[in-house]
Amino acid sequence: MGRWGRRLYKTDRARDFDHEQDRNIRRRQIYETIDRQGFQWVVVLVAGVGFFLDGYTLFASNIALPMIAYVFWTEEVSSLKLTYINVATLAGTLLGQLAIGFLADKNGRKKMYGIELVLLIGSTLGVVMCSTGTHHSMSVLTWLIWWRTMVGIGVGGDYPLSAVITSEFAPAKHRAKMLATVFFMQPLGQVSGNLVSLIVVVASKRQGEADLIRAVDIMWRWVVAIGVVPGVVALVFRLAIPETPRFLIDIDDNPIKAEFDANNLWGDSSTSSELARGTRRDTIHLSTTTDANRLHDEDIATSSVTEWDCMDDPPTTLNSNWTLSKADIVQYFWQEGNWRTLAGTSLTWLLLDFGFYGIALSNPHFLAKTWGSLNISGPTPPWKTDNSPDANIYDMFLNTSVHALVILNIGSVVGGLLMIFFANRLNRVSLQKYGFLALAALFIALGTMFITVHKAGAVAVALYILGQLIFNFGPNATTYIIPAEVFPTRYRGTCHGISAAAGKLGSILVQVFSAYYKFGSFTPGNAQTRRYGIILIVFSIAMILGAVVTHFWVPNVQEKVDGKPHRILGGNTKTLTLEVLGKGRSGPRSLPVTVRQRANQRSAYYKGRNYAEKNRPFSDTREIRNYYLLLAGAGTIFIRFLEQPPNYSECWVLTNYTLAPTTLLILFSICLYYASVGFYRLYLSPIAKFPGPRLAALTYWYEFYHNVLRRGQFVFEIRKMHEKYGPIVRITPHELHIQDKDYYDEVYPGSHKPTDKHSSISRALGTSLSVASTAPHKLHKMRRAPLNPFFSKGSVLKYSGIIQTCAEKLGTRLEGFYESKTPIDLRVAFAALTIDVISKYCYGESYNSLGKPDMDPDIYRNISSFGELAHLLKYFPWIMTVGKFLPHWVVALNRNLLIALNRKEALEVQAQAVLSDKEKGYKKKYDSPTVFHELVNSNLPAEEKSITRVMDESMTLIPAGTVTTAHMLSTTSYHILSNRHILQRLQKELQEAVPDSSHITKTPLPQLEHLPYLTAIIKEGLRISHAAVTRNPRVAPDRALQFQDWTIPPGTTVSMTASILHTDPAVFPEPQKFRPERWLQESQPNAPANGSLEKYLIPFGKGSRNCLGMNLAYAEIYMTLASVFRRFELELYETTSEDVDIVHDFIAGSPRLDSKGVRVVVVGKRD
């Protein structure tokens, strides 16, 4: 093709590789160059024209075959001959997909690209020339089967080739859109087939041919032959396309040839010297990094390598081609677990085509019956849709084409266009999963309509159009796109071919079953219509299974953009590169056997991130085997139904209720599903061996009952479980709980052992962007970084004047209560103080609750109510979203939900004010830096400084900084006041330290921290009030935990509970008694600085995710207790231990719900 071929495929040339000899650097440079290109229209058109021909050839036969039946088997009622031709076509397609997909990996894409098109063109012409010969000397059926088999091989070969070539030439950001555009050529081919048939039929009708059989014979040959024209055009372009650089680099190991082809493909322009120098700097950095540093400095390795995940193999100057080997197949598919990905892409395609071809939409009888124009009284030939004496054969074929255009093509074209538009915007795996579920619902709706109404009509037409839309804006497109992305270059063609062949296997099976059991609603009468309705509901099971397989076995091809809100279809995602996806489930550890052998001669290779978090070892095996049982059960029911169809004139009677067989089938399938899930959880789960209640292992409803219906009682049930089952207990189907005072550091380690939070925390809090809700370790580290300086001990000390001011205000309010002699609830007073401190700290402006006459008595209760709501949100996180759109009187039925929604609206206003201050320059407005203003002015990415991020942080920081500290202060104050000895000793220590009570609020924090008895009281108060009562689950994604004789699989959710440890008699004797002396050296003379107890006091958590505001809370506690008990004499007022004893887990501990708080009377002031 020369220069013309080069210009044909030219894009922006972005690198000059001549200076670089290292294979890996060249490899990465070429990949980066590909990824910088725009949408490759020429590649799409060249691949798409072939796929257009595939669609035309496969689906034009739906129009041509009835014409063939009219010509050669005019009066034959049976449609078996047409089924033979269809099955032969599909079998050839299956063979072509397998063979050419494999040969494309073995010989190269370019060598095979065009061969399948030549075969397709030649065999199509062979079909056109089929005849019976002179005096029926030949069997036209045999020739048709032969040539249609050849057509199928050509069509089948185009599936993996078009997908793989498009994928390997496509930039990551445009890959999905390019593949979707190529796939869109298939419905365009279908439309063209119907339009061509319309034109041919109309033209033939106008000619008025007297010999109808001859006229129809000419018609079907024209319909088939016209499809050759775009094939010839595409062939010219396909022969000019170069080999893909990824094949040359990854398979041929020929960077020189890849560079040469890159010059042809991308033109000859060079980069600037500055960019070239940048590349060399990267090269030097990579080559000079020592092996030890590579293993130690994960951040450097990640930033340098992770994006493309190219292994640093030995420099290559001579070709060392990758060759297929059994060892590599075993390693990649079996040892690394990628057989699940192949099984997922294959099964989903099989299940999709089982339903797609099973509903038999292209049959003329079915189209006419759906349209309401079928006019036959008994068995008729497959071409005849009207038995009336004046029926016209042209009108029948014309109506079939029109019906197909409306019922089949409108939805498929609209769905294809939607897929092109949204391909890069939505998570493709989620789109496939929810598309399967939508199709299941559609099949159930159609089936129910046919069973009950017994007829089609406009509603059925609309539903079929909607079904075609969902097929193409969902599984029909994604099952083609995803296999071209998730496999490595060395297996991409083969695996795409296997996946596509599985789909054709499903279509073959359903064609055979359809011919034998007469699936379609082809004949008149209600019985056949009801039967077809049952079939549709059975097909819905296949769609549900498709969604299940997608969820568990099809890996994500996109990663969530950090900081963006979660969406049900996975918006705000970034497409991963083929190199990252090709590593499979083992991530960067995956290497071909030959490359691994070379790499093992070196000391180490870089570490990179695992691209699919959901495919961790534990998640891979979770709840999989039960779907084998479900599939087997559904298949048994299906086969049984086919062998002995039900008698629709009868019903099955159960007690006083009459249920149709369909209803029973659905109910039985649902029961079978849940039974298989339960069986898996009890006996096959990786944590099935761990002890615990069987009901807790079986279902989350056990936890729901204790936490939602019994209002925060599950933590106390966990304690009982440990008493019965031992130190490790399975408390939910996927979570283990450990009670061991010395194991905390393993579950909650430092940053040297990264752990993730469980996603249930994000669901429960409803604040996915907050630090507290962030699950991944690295994302949490990034989000927390700009907040850490504000809550460090130095910053808290620097801005301790905020606390001193609030403590002074509280003292003023207590003086007022002294003068009025009225009781005061310390929970209200302390909550007013803590919320004023945290609001000033976060926003620069205090809520001024201490300045209000009643000190906002609802603060404590409202925040506690949100903690109770969190238990409900954990199971139904969508409640908050739905609640925003419900009428006020409906939301008011749940007081906690109403409070949370009102609070969120108020915080949105404040968040907007923060963003507004950013534009104006907040430092001129406030006297000191604030948390949220510094957050939105930090160096974080823009998405991490959005209004949603500020709102989410507010929803966690404000409540956490208010109710937990207020609860500790009020509980500790009760215990001080209820024990005269403790009160007097504390007052004496404070008086000696600060002789003048008026100076107590000005006393520096370090001076208070050195008061031993005050410190002991604070530690005991933290122990007995617990701060957060609820458990805090963690996930170690990549490492197994060893607890005594138990090995906990990687990816298992494990939790411990501080409140259980704080009340463990083995650690704290008489744990229910408030004894500050246990923290003093005098009570433990042999303990060095009380270290034996310090490590078991964990009210603020432990590890890299401990409480962000711990230092601020300590400062508030020290300064508030010192101020109150140095300045005032207090007495309890109608308050007992029941008002402070924790009996509910609402994240923070809560006493009995009818408690009136810790009420006191100010009886005097101290000098």
Side-chain angles (χ1 to χ4, degrees):
M1 297 291 289
R3 282 190 171 274
W4 182 64
R6 299 181 187 182
R7 296 304 173 193
L8 193 63
Y9 294 100
K10 180 181 177 182
T11 61
D12 167 48
R13 165 77 167 152
R15 293 277 189 183
D16 180 1
F17 307 144
D18 288 342
H19 69 280
E20 186 55 66
Q21 299 300 315
D22 189 296
R23 167 191 180 276
N24 295 284
I25 302 303
R26 288 192 176 203
R27 176 187 184 190
R28 188 168 65 254
Q29 288 170 346
I30 293 175
Y31 291 161
E32 290 173 350
T33 301
I34 295 174
D35 213 35
R36 277 194 300 273
Q37 306 309 310
F39 191 92
Q40 300 292 299
W41 281 108
V42 175
V43 174
V44 168
L45 289 176
V46 172
V49 171
F51 215 65
F52 173 91
L53 180 56
D54 298 342
Y56 183 96
T57 302
L58 279 181
F59 294 96
S61 64
N62 298 327
I63 305 298
L65 285 179
M67 296 178 180
I68 292 172
Y70 177 81
V71 172
F72 297 109
W73 311 293
T74 308
E75 299 301 327
E76 189 169 327
V77 174
S78 173
S79 61
L80 279 179
K81 288 186 174 66
L82 302 186
T83 300
Y84 295 154
I85 296 172
N86 278 329
V87 170
T89 306
L90 295 173
T93 305
L94 185 152
L95 181 61
Q97 288 163 338
L98 290 175
I100 297 182
F102 169 75
L103 291 173
D105 285 340
K106 187 175 188 298
N107 300 324
R109 286 72 162 116
K110 179 177 174 60
K111 290 180 181 178
M112 303 308 300
Y113 210 39
I115 292 178
E116 93 291 353
L117 201 55
V118 171
L119 179 61
L120 180 57
I121 293 171
S123 55
T124 300
L125 294 175
V127 171
V128 172
M129 291 184 288
C130 285
S131 73
T132 57
T134 304
H135 302 299
H136 297 279
S137 60
M138 295 186 297
S139 169
V140 69
L141 177 62
T142 302
W143 280 113
L144 284 170
I145 289 175
W146 167 255
W147 285 117
R148 287 296 291 181
T149 302
M150 295 298 104
V151 167
I153 293 175
V155 169
D158 206 49
Y159 270 78
L161 280 176
S162 294
V164 167
I165 287 178
T166 304
S167 177
E168 292 182 357
F169 273 126
K173 61 178 178 275
H174 294 303
R175 187 173 66 236
K177 192 171 185 178
M178 289 175 63
L179 286 166
T181 306
V182 171
F183 187 79
F184 178 65
M185 297 298 178
Q186 186 183 82
L188 286 186
Q190 299 175 34
V191 172
S192 300
N194 286 315
L195 289 175
V196 167
S197 66
L198 273 174
I199 295 170
V200 169
V201 171
V202 171
S204 297
K205 184 178 180 180
R206 289 180 177 177
Q207 287 181 357
E209 178 73 41
D211 187 348
L212 287 180
I213 291 182
R214 182 177 184 277
V216 175
D217 191 41
I218 294 173
M219 284 162 50
W220 78 260
R221 295 179 194 276
W222 270 110
V223 170
V224 174
I226 288 176
V228 171
V229 176
V232 173
V233 175
L235 183 62
V236 175
F237 290 92
R238 288 194 175 189
L239 295 177
I241 197 169
E243 183 60 85
T244 69
R246 284 185 165 94
F247 184 87
L248 292 172
I249 289 288
D250 295 341
I251 308 303
D252 279 355
D253 199 9
N254 193 341
I256 298 174
K257 180 69 166 64
E259 179 186 350
F260 179 79
D261 281 356
N263 279 311
N264 287 343
L265 181 63
W266 296 315
D268 300 319
S269 61
S270 302
T271 58
S272 66
S273 59
E274 180 181 355
L275 188 58
R277 285 194 299 271
T279 303
R280 285 192 290 272
R281 283 197 297 270
D282 292 342
T283 306
I284 294 171
H285 173 76
L286 287 171
S287 59
T288 58
T289 304
T290 64
D291 295 326
N293 288 338
R294 288 174 183 172
L295 291 172
H296 181 265
D297 194 345
E298 182 180 347
D299 291 336
I300 293 178
T302 301
S303 63
S304 301
V305 180
T306 299
E307 182 179 358
W308 294 100
D309 221 3
C310 301
M311 301 311 302
D312 191 13
D313 302 331
T316 303
T317 54
L318 297 176
N319 293 354
S320 52
N321 297 29
W322 174 85
T323 55
L324 181 68
S325 68
K326 180 180 179 181
D328 190 64
I329 294 173
V330 170
Q331 174 192 295
Y332 179 78
F333 288 102
W334 184 252
Q335 294 176 359
E336 296 181 9
N338 292 298
W339 65 268
R340 289 188 289 273
T341 302
L342 181 58
T345 56
S346 301
L347 283 174
T348 50
W349 209 329
L350 184 147
L351 292 165
L352 173 80
D353 278 9
F354 196 77
F356 187 80
Y357 286 85
I359 56 179
L361 289 179
S362 57
N363 184 283
H365 285 176
F366 177 79
L367 290 170
K369 187 169 183 177
T370 302
W371 196 266
S373 63
L374 185 65
N375 182 26
I376 57 176
S377 56
T380 58
W383 55 267
K384 181 175 288 189
T385 58
D386 190 351
N387 255 344
S388 58
D390 58 344
N392 186 294
I393 186 65
Y394 293 111
D395 291 338
M396 293 185 204
F397 289 135
L398 197 65
N399 289 336
T400 297
S401 297
V402 171
H403 298 163
L405 273 172
V406 175
I407 297 175
L408 297 179
N409 298 146
I410 291 178
S412 61
V413 170
V414 173
L417 290 172
L418 288 174
M419 188 67 208
I420 293 172
F421 183 77
F422 287 105
N424 291 329
R425 292 172 169 83
L426 299 179
N427 185 294
R428 297 187 277 286
V429 175
S430 296
L431 185 63
Q432 177 170 301
K433 176 172 64 176
Y434 292 113
F436 269 121
L437 294 176
L439 288 170
L442 185 74
F443 284 178
I444 292 173
L446 276 167
T448 303
M449 183 180 69
F450 287 140
I451 292 169
T452 55
V453 181
H454 307 154
K455 62 180 181 180
V459 175
V461 171
L463 289 177
Y464 279 124
I465 292 174
L466 178 61
Q468 288 298 307
L469 187 151
I470 297 172
F471 267 119
N472 285 276
F473 181 46
N476 199 28
T478 54
T479 51
Y480 171 82
I481 294 173
I482 293 174
E485 300 181 285
V486 295
F487 298 104
T489 306
R490 64 188 189 275
Y491 293 125
R492 190 170 291 128
T494 302
C495 291
H496 194 285
I498 292 173
S499 303
K504 288 300 170 277
L505 177 62
S507 61
I508 291 171
L509 292 175
V510 83
Q511 288 279 329
V512 173
F513 289 156
S514 177
Y516 188 76
Y517 294 107
K518 303 187 186 305
F519 278 7
S521 178
F522 306 149
T523 59
N526 293 340
Q528 182 66 16
T529 304
R530 277 197 299 266
R531 176 183 175 84
Y532 182 64
I534 293 288
I535 294 295
L536 284 175
I537 290 177
V538 172
F539 282 157
S540 71
I541 297 176
M543 299 299 101
I544 293 172
L545 289 175
V548 170
V549 173
T550 300
H551 181 77
F552 288 105
W553 278 357
V554 178
N556 268 319
V557 296
Q558 293 145 284
E559 64 179 357
K560 184 175 179 292
V561 176
D562 293 343
K564 291 295 184 71
H566 173 73
R567 298 178 183 173
I568 191 169
L569 286 177
N572 299 325
T573 57
K574 181 181 73 173
T575 299
L576 294 165
T577 65
L578 292 180
E579 285 61 53
V580 173
L581 292 169
K583 294 300 180 182
R585 295 170 184 263
S586 292
R589 293 185 297 276
S590 177
L591 280 173
V593 166
T594 53
V595 176
R596 185 180 295 275
Q597 290 170 349
R598 294 201 310 268
N600 285 341
Q601 297 171 3
R602 305 166 67 111
S603 61
Y605 51 80
Y606 287 124
K607 294 182 179 180
R609 64 175 177 265
N610 189 333
Y611 80 93
E613 291 186 2
K614 80 171 194 175
N615 293 316
R616 293 169 181 147
F618 178 44
S619 299
D620 282 336
T621 58
R622 182 185 299 170
E623 298 180 7
I624 296 299
R625 297 180 181 89
N626 54 317
Y627 296 107
Y628 286 117
L629 300 176
L630 177 59
L631 182 60
T636 302
I637 295 170
F638 183 47
I639 297 301
R640 178 60 180 164
F641 168 80
L642 296 176
E643 292 174 350
Q644 188 175 355
N647 185 348
Y648 297 103
S649 63
E650 300 177 357
C651 290
W652 298 341
V653 180
L654 298 177
T655 63
N656 296 326
Y657 299 93
T658 303
L659 296 176
T662 306
T663 307
L664 288 174
L665 177 63
I666 295 172
L667 292 175
F668 178 76
S669 299
I670 293 172
C671 293
L672 181 63
Y673 166 76
Y674 284 109
S676 60
V677 170
F679 181 82
Y680 173 82
R681 288 176 174 176
L682 291 177
Y683 302 107
L684 303 178
S685 168
I687 59 173
K689 61 184 178 180
F690 290 88
R694 306 296 278 177
L695 190 58
L698 182 65
T699 176
Y700 283 100
W701 290 107
Y702 184 78
E703 182 186 11
F704 178 88
Y705 168 73
H706 287 292
N707 261 349
V708 178
L709 301 184
R710 294 187 62 211
R711 308 185 73 172
Q713 296 300 303
F714 192 58
V715 67
F716 306 105
E717 287 300 314
I718 293 176
R719 188 192 302 272
K720 294 177 183 177
M721 292 182 201
H722 282 296
E723 293 173 356
K724 181 176 181 179
Y725 295 102
I728 186 167
V729 182
R730 185 182 182 187
I731 59 173
T732 73
H734 301 113
E735 183 179 348
L736 302 175
H737 191 278
I738 295 175
Q739 180 180 351
D740 187 310
K741 60 185 176 63
D742 297 316
Y743 200 70
Y744 237 89
D745 289 335
E746 288 297 319
V747 179
Y748 305 95
S751 57
H752 64 290
K753 293 181 179 179
T755 57
D756 296 343
K757 267 193 175 182
H758 193 260
S759 59
S760 61
I761 301 296
S762 178
R763 296 197 303 270
L765 297 179
T767 55
S768 60
L769 300 187
S770 69
V771 170
S773 297
T774 303
H777 169 79
K778 289 185 178 179
L779 180 57
H780 170 268
K781 183 178 180 181
M782 182 191 74
R783 286 179 172 171
R784 180 165 170 157
L787 304 182
N788 280 333
F790 282 91
F791 294 96
S792 67
K793 194 170 182 63
S795 291
V796 169
L797 183 61
K798 181 179 179 181
Y799 301 115
S800 60
I802 297 174
I803 306 173
Q804 292 174 341
T805 300
C806 291
E808 187 64 39
K809 285 185 179 180
L810 177 61
T812 303
R813 295 306 306 272
L814 290 177
E815 288 178 354
F817 282 98
Y818 168 66
E819 294 171 357
S820 64
K821 306 298 182 184
T822 56
I824 178 176
D825 183 358
L826 288 182
R827 288 192 312 187
V828 172
F830 291 145
L833 180 143
T834 53
I835 200 169
D836 281 356
V837 171
I838 191 64
S839 58
K840 176 72 173 177
Y841 216 68
C842 290
Y843 293 110
E845 291 181 342
S846 167
Y847 286 175
N848 195 30
S849 295
L850 285 170
K852 297 176 182 178
D854 57 357
M855 293 190 291
D856 272 351
D858 291 333
I859 289 175
Y860 188 92
R861 183 176 58 181
N862 289 349
I863 294 178
S864 295
S865 70
F866 182 74
E868 182 178 7
L869 180 66
H871 289 313
L872 184 63
L873 294 178
K874 180 178 180 180
Y875 308 100
F876 307 107
W878 45 265
I879 288 178
M880 287 283 284
T881 303
V882 173
K884 293 188 293 186
F885 304 100
L886 294 177
H888 182 273
W889 66 269
V890 176
V891 178
L893 295 176
N894 187 314
R895 177 183 173 276
N896 296 339
L897 179 60
L898 178 63
I899 292 170
L901 290 174
N902 290 339
R903 182 66 182 154
K904 200 161 189 176
E905 289 179 5
L907 291 176
E908 184 175 4
V909 174
Q910 287 186 284
Q912 189 62 57
V914 170
L915 295 178
S916 177
D917 288 341
K918 174 188 176 183
E919 304 298 330
K920 299 175 183 177
Y922 81 95
K923 292 185 178 180
K924 299 178 181 179
K925 182 176 180 181
Y926 303 110
D927 52 3
S928 62
T930 69
V931 173
F932 292 139
H933 290 93
E934 287 295 309
L935 173 64
V936 298
N937 284 276
S938 68
N939 294 325
L940 288 175
E943 59 269 16
E944 290 293 332
K945 299 182 286 188
S946 64
I947 186 172
T948 307
R949 169 73 196 280
V950 177
M951 284 174 55
D952 284 359
E953 290 294 1
S954 299
M955 286 287 287
T956 54
L957 281 179
I958 299 297
T962 301
V963 73
T964 53
T965 309
H967 169 68
M968 184 274 172
L969 287 168
S970 58
T971 300
T972 304
S973 297
Y974 166 80
H975 287 291
I976 293 172
L977 295 173
S978 62
N979 190 311
R980 197 68 182 170
H981 166 73
I982 295 175
L983 175 61
Q984 291 175 349
R985 185 169 178 179
L986 174 61
Q987 289 175 334
K988 180 181 178 182
E989 183 179 72
L990 290 172
Q991 187 167 2
E992 292 175 353
V994 186
D996 188 349
S997 62
S998 63
H999 293 164
I1000 187 64
T1001 56
K1002 303 294 191 301
T1003 305
L1005 177 61
Q1007 183 179 343
L1008 297 176
E1009 290 175 334
H1010 283 86
L1011 299 178
Y1013 198 66
L1014 175 61
T1015 300
I1017 286 176
I1018 290 172
K1019 289 178 181 177
E1020 186 70 355
L1022 289 170
R1023 182 193 69 81
I1024 208 163
S1025 65
H1026 311 305
V1029 177
T1030 196
R1031 70 189 192 278
N1032 205 348
R1034 292 285 189 270
V1035 178
D1038 303 316
R1039 58 189 174 91
L1041 300 179
Q1042 189 68 38
F1043 176 71
Q1044 297 179 3
D1045 295 331
W1046 299 94
T1047 299
I1048 303 172
T1052 305
T1053 305
V1054 183
S1055 60
M1056 298 181 73
T1057 305
S1059 59
I1060 294 178
L1061 177 58
H1062 290 167
T1063 54
D1064 185 353
V1067 182
F1068 302 100
E1070 298 181 301
Q1072 301 306 326
K1073 288 188 176 182
F1074 188 85
R1075 289 179 49 214
E1077 289 75 16
R1078 75 173 82 237
W1079 299 97
L1080 298 175
Q1081 190 74 17
E1082 63 193 45
S1083 65
Q1084 302 178 74
N1086 297 324
N1090 302 319
S1092 59
L1093 285 184
E1094 289 284 354
K1095 65 179 181 179
Y1096 302 126
L1097 181 66
I1098 45 176
F1100 299 103
K1102 209 167 189 179
S1104 59
R1105 291 174 177 260
N1106 63 348
C1107 177
L1108 180 66
M1110 175 178 63
N1111 294 314
L1112 179 62
Y1114 267 120
E1116 290 176 317
I1117 293 167
Y1118 268 103
M1119 300 174 77
T1120 303
L1121 287 179
S1123 175
V1124 170
F1125 288 99
R1126 177 63 187 89
R1127 295 178 60 186
F1128 300 99
E1129 293 282 357
L1130 307 178
E1131 287 185 0
L1132 293 172
Y1133 175 80
E1134 296 182 2
T1135 300
T1136 68
S1137 61
E1138 292 183 353
D1139 294 302
V1140 295
D1141 290 343
I1142 295 173
V1143 294
H1144 297 281
D1145 167 18
F1146 297 151
I1147 299 182
S1150 174
R1152 58 190 175 94
L1153 298 177
D1154 60 348
S1155 171
K1156 295 182 179 180
V1158 180
R1159 293 183 293 171
V1160 300
V1161 177
V1162 183
V1163 297
K1165 295 193 293 184
R1166 296 175 57 83
D1167 295 330

